């Protein structure tokens, strides 16, 4: 990953933001600590200065000016006094002892860099300062100064510690950010590659999942289920468009044959018969196209604007009444089974009529030795469930979902006239009404249960 | 009858006009929707046949325009295939009936005849008659030669639709729409079955048959043989 890519990476940007906020807060905290430690060290330094001064004042009181001169002289000569500056003046202002003759009299406490005192500059390899003051002693004046070297060293080591801490925090957080970003990026790259492959027609490709169940995994899961639906949809569209073409091919083929025969005399059919048959084929084609257009219009859902309150029980009874004699003529019994519970729903009565007619006609056509078609209305948690059942051949379980798709017909019933659009129209109408369609075994026969939603 | 056709597809337009002229009607054909409004408002037509999709002004807007201009001529819409919403939209715009393309000419003719203006029926017509058959719309009774005939509600409605179009053909599709509110083509013999049940009650016991089958088209109730 290049730096430019890194800066666009969400995880990295988050990590970088977090690191800078965190280190900002840390720096503020460190500055406060450093400032307080500095105050403490300064007080400590002043205490040492006072201690040294007090010790020398004790000598002056006890041994007099001369005794003090002896102590200052021996102190100044000692090697370790490179950490202390002293200068003793007599009443006339002449230097009588000490190691810092160049430091003039001043008021109060001063910090004097070692480099500015020629006598001391060469005596140590480090750069420190002296905190010094002039005091009055009996018989003269005395300069006392102590090196801040220890305090300076402590200050430096605190600063170094804090600095190192910040740098290591920044480093660790930065590295973690890059690592996290890389990990997220490799996932997202995998998403991108998969989607690219899918868009190039490899519909079986899926986004990899880590199994950690994190947010990226959740996105991957949703992406995969969307891809599943998409590929099923595309498969269905492919299947149904080829099925529609197939379905149209045969009546158009027959139509062509019939019209070809028209000009030849000597045909066993009169031209009137041929034209009649040709018109019937055209009606067949028109019917298929009409059904396909109807299904797509219903699926588009525009009819929902025209929903009105309907009593399903009334509607089912009405359709049953129309079809009872029709079924009877076909040698079947159509039974509207009580109890027909109240089934108030919102819907389109014309489409619902077509739904029940299609189911009844489907049951009649595929009754396969059955004798009875039963219409009933159940309840499921207060929602009405309309049931159309027959005692015919039924549909094998593995075929049940497929028959709801356009033009899907069972191989066994291939010879039965009528395109396989009836049930898919039923499925489209049920879906428009938010009804769940369940094909089940009526043992023997097929039961179609439609779980509607009651009118609220 | 004087009939106006507003249809931009010249082949369909001439197919309809030729057919209607053969039936003895006078036909004006117009291709553009706006010209249609002008023409429909200028003349008093007995029936106007309007295509839903027109250049200039579409069929729905045309009918709304002529209705607001006070034109009362009955309107038959020609709609595209698969238009589940077209019927309602057409009726709401002020149309009287609709027929989906492609259609059989006999279907169009039957619908034109059914909506055509005829000598105004008295508003309070409560008795429908055909030969010696009488339907009382208030008492909801049917008599033939003074025999009271017991009909179920839907059979009554079926007979009523036929009687309201006495002497004219009512097609299978028209019956499906008007009697059962079926706006689709059932694969079974719904119409035939119910007509035969109705015949069993009102025709079979008597020597004169009133319900006539018009082959390939529909049915007609008439006392003329």
């Amino acid at each position: 990953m290049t730096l430019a890519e890194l800066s666009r990476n969400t995880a990295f940007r988050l990590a970088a933001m977090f690191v800078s906020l965190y280190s900002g807060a840390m720096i503020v905290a460190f500055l406060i600590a450093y400032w307080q430690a500095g105050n403490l060290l300064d007080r400590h330094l002043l205490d040492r200065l006072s201690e040294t001064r007090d010790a020398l004042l004790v000598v002056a009181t006890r041994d007099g000016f001369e005794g003090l001169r002896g102590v200052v002289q021996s102190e100044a000569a000692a090697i370790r006094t490179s950490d202390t500056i002293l200068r003793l003046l007599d009443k006339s202002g002449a230097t009588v002892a000490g190691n810092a003759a160049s430091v003039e009299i001043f008021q109060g406490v001063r910090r004097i860099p070692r480099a500015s005192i020629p006598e001391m500059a060469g005596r140590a390899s480090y750069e420190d300062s002296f905190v010094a003051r002039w005091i009055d002693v009996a018989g003269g004046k005395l300069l006392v100064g102590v090196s801040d070297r220890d305090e300076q060293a402590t200050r430096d080591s605190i600063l170094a510690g804090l600095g190192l801490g910040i740098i290591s925090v920044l480093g660790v957080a930065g590295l973690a950010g890059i690592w996290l970003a890389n990990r997220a990026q490799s996932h997202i790259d995998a998403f991108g590659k998969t989607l690219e492959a899918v868009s190039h027609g490899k519909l079986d490709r899926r986004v990899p999942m880590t199994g950690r169940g994190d947010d990226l995994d959740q996105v991957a899961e949703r992406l995969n289920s969307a891809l599943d639906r998409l590929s099923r949809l595309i498969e269905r569209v492919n299947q149904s468009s080829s099925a529609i073409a197939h379905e149209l091919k045969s009546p158009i083929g027959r139509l062509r044959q019939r019209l070809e025969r028209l000009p030849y005399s000597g045909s066993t059919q009169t031209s009137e018969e041929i034209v009649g048959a040709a018109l019937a084929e055209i009606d067949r084609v028109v019917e298929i196209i009409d059904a396909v257009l109807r299904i797509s219009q219903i699926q588009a859902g525009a009819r929902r604007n025209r929903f009105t309150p309907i009593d399903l029980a009334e509607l089912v009874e009405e359709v049953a009444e129309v079809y009872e004699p029709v079924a009877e003529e076909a040698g079947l019994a159509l039974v509207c089974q009580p109890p027909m519970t109240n089934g108030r729903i919102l819907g389109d009565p014309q489409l619902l009529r077509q739904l029940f007619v299609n189911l009844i006609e489907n049951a009649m056509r595929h009754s396969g030795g059955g004798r009875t078609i039963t219409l009933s209305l159940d309840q499921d948690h207060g929602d009405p469930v309309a049931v159309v059942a027959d005692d015919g051949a039924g549909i094998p379980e593995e075929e049940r979902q497929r028959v709801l798709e356009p033009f899907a017909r069972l191989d066994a019933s291939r010879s039965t006239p009528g395109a396989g659009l009836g049930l898919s129209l039923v499925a489209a109408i049920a879906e428009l009404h938010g009804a769940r369609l369940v094909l089940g075994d009526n043992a023997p026969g097929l039961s179609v249960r439609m779980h509607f939603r009651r009118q609220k | 009858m004087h009939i106006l056709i507003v249809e931009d597809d010249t082949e369909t337009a001439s197919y309809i006009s030729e057919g209607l002229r053969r039936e003895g009607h006078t036909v004006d054909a117009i291709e553009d929707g706006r010209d249609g409004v002008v023409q429909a408002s200028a003349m008093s037509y007995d029936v106007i046949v309007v295509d839903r999709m027109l250049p200039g002004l579409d069929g729905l807007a045309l009918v709304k325009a002529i209705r607001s201009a006070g034109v009362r001529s009955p309107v038959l819409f020609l709609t595209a295939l698969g238009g589940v919403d077209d019927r309602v939209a057409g009726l709401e715009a002020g149309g009287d009936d609709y027929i989906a393309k492609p259609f059989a000419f006999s279907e169009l003719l039957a619908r034109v005849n059914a909506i055509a203006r005829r000598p105004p029926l008295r508003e309070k017509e409560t008795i429908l008659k055909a030969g010696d058959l009488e339907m009382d719309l208030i008492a909801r009774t049917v008599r033939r030669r003074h025999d009271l005939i017991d009909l179920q509600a839907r059979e009554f409605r079926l007979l009523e639709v036929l009687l309201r179009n006495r002497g004219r053909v009512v097609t299978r599709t028209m019956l499906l729409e008007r009697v059962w509110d079926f706006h689709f083509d059932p694969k079974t013999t719904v119409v035939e079955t119910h007509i035969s049940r109705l015949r069993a009650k009102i025709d079979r016991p008597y020597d004169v048959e009133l319900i006539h089958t018009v082959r390939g088209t529909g049915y007609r109730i008439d006392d003329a043989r």
Side-chain angles (χ1 to χ4, degrees):
Chain A
M1 198 168 4
T2 70
L3 205 64
E5 279 172 357
L6 202 59
S7 67
R8 281 198 304 271
N9 183 286
T10 312
F12 180 76
R13 284 218 298 251
L14 279 174
M17 204 167 74
F18 177 73
V19 167
S20 41
L21 276 174
Y22 185 67
S23 14
M26 241 171 82
I27 286 168
V28 170
F30 282 10
L31 283 177
I32 291 170
Y34 182 65
W35 178 71
Q36 286 212 322
N39 279 346
L40 206 68
L41 289 170
D42 282 348
R43 235 182 2 253
H44 186 242
L45 193 60
L46 288 174
D47 285 350
R48 277 208 294 137
L49 179 62
S50 304
E51 275 164 27
T52 313
R53 182 199 61 188
D54 291 349
L56 288 169
L57 281 177
V58 167
V59 172
T61 314
R62 196 183 59 206
D63 302 333
F65 187 77
E66 276 311 306
L68 182 62
R69 194 179 67 92
V71 170
V72 168
Q73 214 154 33
S74 63
E75 278 292 317
I79 288 177
R80 62 181 178 87
T81 54
S82 66
D83 284 347
T84 309
I85 49 170
L86 295 166
R87 185 184 175 197
L88 185 61
L89 303 179
D90 63 13
K91 277 212 176 79
S92 65
T95 306
V96 292
N99 55 6
S102 62
V103 180
E104 298 299 335
I105 298 170
F106 54 83
Q107 289 295 315
V109 179
R110 274 198 191 169
R111 189 180 289 268
I112 308 161
R114 179 186 290 269
S116 67
I117 307 169
E119 298 90 331
M120 301 302 293
R123 294 191 61 174
S125 58
Y126 41 82
E127 283 175 30
D128 54 352
S129 300
F130 293 95
V131 175
R133 67 179 304 177
W134 283 95
I135 50 173
D136 294 324
V137 289
K141 267 183 168 306
L142 175 65
L143 168 76
V144 185
V146 294
S147 167
D148 66 353
R149 184 189 162 208
D150 287 350
E151 285 75 10
Q152 209 61 53
T154 311
R155 214 186 277 262
D156 285 350
S157 70
I158 290 176
L159 201 60
L162 295 186
L164 264 176
I166 289 178
I167 287 167
S168 53
V169 164
L170 278 172
V172 168
L175 285 174
I178 290 173
W179 180 70
L180 281 171
N182 260 319
R183 205 174 68 147
Q185 189 61 45
S186 68
H187 271 151
I188 289 166
D189 285 348
F191 284 16
K193 276 199 195 107
T194 308
L195 292 181
E196 177 113 0
V198 169
S199 75
H200 284 104
K202 289 176 184 143
L203 289 172
D204 55 333
R205 293 283 291 274
R206 291 295 175 270
V207 171
M209 292 183 46
T210 58
R212 278 193 295 267
D214 55 12
D215 50 353
L216 277 177
D217 251 14
Q218 287 174 18
V219 172
E221 202 180 322
R222 286 196 194 150
L223 213 50
N224 281 342
S225 73
L227 287 175
D228 284 345
R229 277 200 301 275
L230 182 72
S231 59
R232 271 203 304 275
L233 202 67
I234 288 174
E235 196 185 338
R236 209 182 300 168
V237 167
N238 285 343
Q239 276 176 1
S240 46
S241 52
S242 67
I244 290 167
H246 227 73
E247 202 80 22
L248 288 173
K249 217 169 65 184
S250 29
I252 289 175
R254 287 195 297 267
L255 180 63
R256 200 197 139 75
Q257 288 160 13
R258 289 187 204 285
L259 291 181
E260 245 175 12
R261 240 178 296 157
L262 200 53
Y264 305 119
S265 55
S267 164
T268 52
Q269 285 173 300
T270 66
S271 51
E272 207 170 276
E273 280 169 346
I274 293 173
V275 169
L279 285 176
E281 296 293 356
I282 288 177
D283 285 346
R284 176 89 202 91
V285 171
V286 167
E287 193 183 293
I288 291 167
I289 294 169
D290 185 56
V292 171
L293 289 174
R294 239 167 216 268
I295 289 173
S296 60
Q297 279 202 10
I298 290 168
Q299 280 170 344
R303 288 287 274 219
R304 219 167 276 144
N305 309 335
R306 300 202 187 278
F307 274 13
T308 50
I310 300 167
D311 185 358
L312 266 182
E314 236 167 63
L315 191 126
V316 168
E317 264 164 0
E318 176 198 309
V319 174
E321 192 191 301
V322 176
Y323 269 83
E324 257 164 48
V326 182
E328 197 184 306
E329 275 185 9
L332 290 158
L334 182 74
V335 184
C336 207
Q337 204 176 54
M340 297 290 274
T341 48
N342 179 336
R344 295 217 70 86
I345 61 161
L346 279 179
D348 184 320
Q350 288 179 7
L351 290 180
L352 287 173
R353 246 175 239 123
Q354 182 166 15
L355 179 149
F356 288 109
V357 165
N358 277 9
L359 286 175
I360 293 169
E361 292 189 340
N362 193 68
M364 287 173 67
R365 219 177 12 249
H366 301 292
S367 64
R371 304 247 50 92
T372 312
I373 298 165
T374 313
L375 301 184
S376 52
L377 199 62
D378 265 355
Q379 297 274 337
D380 175 22
H381 297 100
D383 285 332
V385 182
V387 188
V388 179
D390 63 53
D391 54 358
I395 296 178
E397 197 175 343
E398 62 276 13
E399 301 265 22
R400 280 178 202 149
Q401 200 47 49
R402 206 174 57 83
V403 294
L404 298 176
E405 287 161 16
F407 289 102
R409 276 192 297 180
L410 303 177
D411 287 336
S413 59
R414 270 279 162 195
S415 54
T416 323
L421 279 170
L423 276 181
S424 44
L425 195 59
V426 165
I429 295 172
E431 198 187 327
L432 181 77
H433 287 82
R436 196 158 48 86
L437 193 61
V438 183
L439 303 192
D441 195 347
N442 197 36
L446 175 70
S447 86
V448 181
R449 298 176 68 86
M450 285 151 287
H451 295 251
F452 284 93
R453 293 192 202 133
R454 70 175 174 277
Q455 187 193 345
K456 301 244 161 72
Chain B
M1 281 198 286
H2 198 180
I3 300 170
L4 175 66
I5 296 167
V6 192
E7 161 67 274
D8 60 314
D9 179 53
T10 46
E11 210 161 309
T12 309
S14 67
Y15 164 69
I16 300 172
S17 359
E18 273 166 30
L20 289 172
R21 284 192 188 111
R22 251 198 326 269
E23 293 291 323
H25 301 298
T26 314
V27 180
D28 296 335
I30 277 178
E31 288 181 17
D32 182 87
R34 267 186 230 109
D35 299 344
V37 175
V38 176
Q39 188 66 29
S41 313
M43 299 276 287
S44 173
Y45 287 100
D46 296 303
V47 172
I48 304 175
V49 179
V50 182
D51 189 35
R52 270 291 299 271
M53 307 283 272
L54 284 173
L57 190 70
D58 79 78
L60 286 183
L62 183 153
V63 173
K64 276 181 196 152
I66 62 167
R67 286 289 183 253
S68 59
V71 176
R72 307 271 288 275
S73 313
V75 168
L76 173 67
F77 272 115
L78 306 180
T79 69
L81 208 54
V84 281
D85 262 345
D86 287 0
R87 192 188 69 89
V88 189
L91 298 186
E92 276 171 3
D96 296 86
D97 199 3
Y98 82 109
I99 180 169
K101 287 201 261 188
F103 47 80
F105 183 75
S106 55
E107 184 74 37
L108 177 94
L109 186 65
R111 286 174 187 265
V112 165
N113 282 328
I115 62 169
R117 271 194 302 193
R118 53 195 80 113
L121 298 171
R122 282 180 310 285
E123 299 287 320
K124 300 248 161 57
E125 191 178 38
T126 57
I127 309 278
L128 300 174
K129 283 187 193 172
D132 50 7
L133 181 80
E134 263 191 28
M135 171 178 269
D136 186 331
L137 293 173
I138 305 288
R140 309 222 33 104
T141 53
V142 175
R143 284 172 196 279
R144 190 164 182 188
R145 287 187 201 153
H146 309 295
D147 304 337
L148 197 60
I149 299 171
D150 181 35
L151 294 184
Q152 289 174 1
R154 292 280 152 177
E155 291 168 340
F156 189 91
R157 174 88 188 121
L158 174 58
L159 183 59
E160 184 190 337
V161 170
L162 289 171
L163 282 172
R164 283 189 186 278
N165 290 284
R166 186 167 60 100
R168 294 187 297 264
V169 182
V170 184
T171 65
R172 206 172 150 264
T173 322
M174 287 162 78
L175 286 175
L176 285 168
E177 288 171 9
R178 281 156 214 203
V179 180
W180 296 284
D181 202 15
F182 282 7
H183 297 268
F184 52 89
D185 191 14
K187 301 282 176 297
T188 44
T189 55
V190 177
V191 178
E192 294 76 359
T193 303
H194 286 274
I195 287 281
S196 107
R197 301 243 158 174
L198 183 62
R199 274 178 168 154
K201 289 186 178 175
I202 67 161
D203 269 349
R204 203 163 303 152
Y206 306 93
D207 49 351
V208 178
E209 200 176 88
L210 293 175
I211 300 176
H212 304 275
T213 304
V214 182
R215 243 192 97 221
T217 308
Y219 303 90
R220 190 186 70 234
I221 201 160
D222 214 333
D223 50 355
R225 241 177 259 233

